[in-house]
Amino acid sequence: GEISSEDYTNFFASYGVYLQDTFAFQHGAELLGTVVDHIAAYRVTRVQRAKLYGTLGQLLMFHGAFTAAEHALTQAHALIDAEEKPRNCTYLGQLYTLWQRYAEGQHYLEESRRRNAEVRLPGHQRINTVFNGVWQARLLYARSNYPGAIAAAEEV
């Protein structure tokens, strides 16, 4: 049979999340890297490419390939629509926190909060707020700001 480009990209984005959840970071990064290379030849929308780049960036981040993760996540950030930007910004904040580039991490966590105020769906706003707050607490903890980390964690 034939599969639509949307189903194709959604499958691999979901499969990439599964591989992330099972700690198969290297395998997932290699697989999604190949898929990202292949989609250039097909009619894959901007949003579909953004999903793949975002998932690839997360796999690379957890594999410790921070430079490659930064490239993939910034590609996703450039392509993703406004409703998904807050979550994507938190992924970038997460990356820079793990990479110990705290000023950049703080920048993206603040951008995430600012953009989340514009999200139309209340459910998405709540999830984004929790996700952002967790990484704000982790960033503050990593910077030895323990009272701030506790306050951020208690807020969410």
Side-chain angles (χ1 to χ4, degrees):
E2 192 173 302
I3 186 168
S4 72
S5 63
E6 182 176 7
D7 287 342
Y8 179 83
T9 56
N10 285 338
F11 168 78
F12 280 106
S14 295
Y15 187 54
V17 170
Y18 164 78
L19 293 172
Q20 178 180 315
D21 291 346
T22 59
F23 304 102
F25 305 127
Q26 183 175 356
H27 173 65
E30 290 169 359
L31 177 67
L32 282 185
T34 301
V35 171
V36 166
D37 289 343
H38 285 138
I39 63 171
Y42 301 100
R43 290 182 162 175
V44 176
T45 69
R46 176 184 53 80
V47 172
Q48 292 165 341
R49 282 191 316 238
K51 281 184 186 180
L52 288 173
Y53 277 119
T55 304
L56 175 60
Q58 291 170 63
L59 285 160
L60 291 164
M61 172 176 45
F62 290 121
H63 185 57
F66 295 139
T67 301
E70 178 183 41
H71 176 73
L73 289 172
T74 54
Q75 288 286 335
H77 188 267
L79 295 168
I80 208 137
D81 64 14
E83 285 291 309
E84 299 294 325
K85 285 259 193 217
R87 186 172 58 191
N88 181 260
C89 288
T90 300
Y91 290 143
L92 284 162
Q94 180 181 19
L95 167 69
Y96 291 123
T97 297
L98 294 172
W99 202 353
Q100 298 179 352
R101 291 170 55 180
Y102 302 128
E104 290 162 286
Q106 187 61 53
H107 166 79
Y108 280 104
L109 291 174
E110 288 170 5
E111 182 180 339
S112 174
R113 276 193 302 278
R114 191 174 61 252
R115 288 181 177 273
N116 196 37
E118 301 166 4
V119 171
R120 293 176 303 212
L121 298 173
H124 285 176
Q125 278 188 333
R126 283 190 299 277
I127 291 168
N128 291 339
T129 298
V130 171
F131 185 45
N132 181 282
V134 167
W135 280 97
Q136 182 64 60
R138 289 199 55 184
L139 184 142
L140 292 168
Y141 182 85
R143 295 183 100 171
S144 301
N145 180 346
Y146 305 121
I150 292 167
E154 287 177 344
E155 188 176 325
V156 294

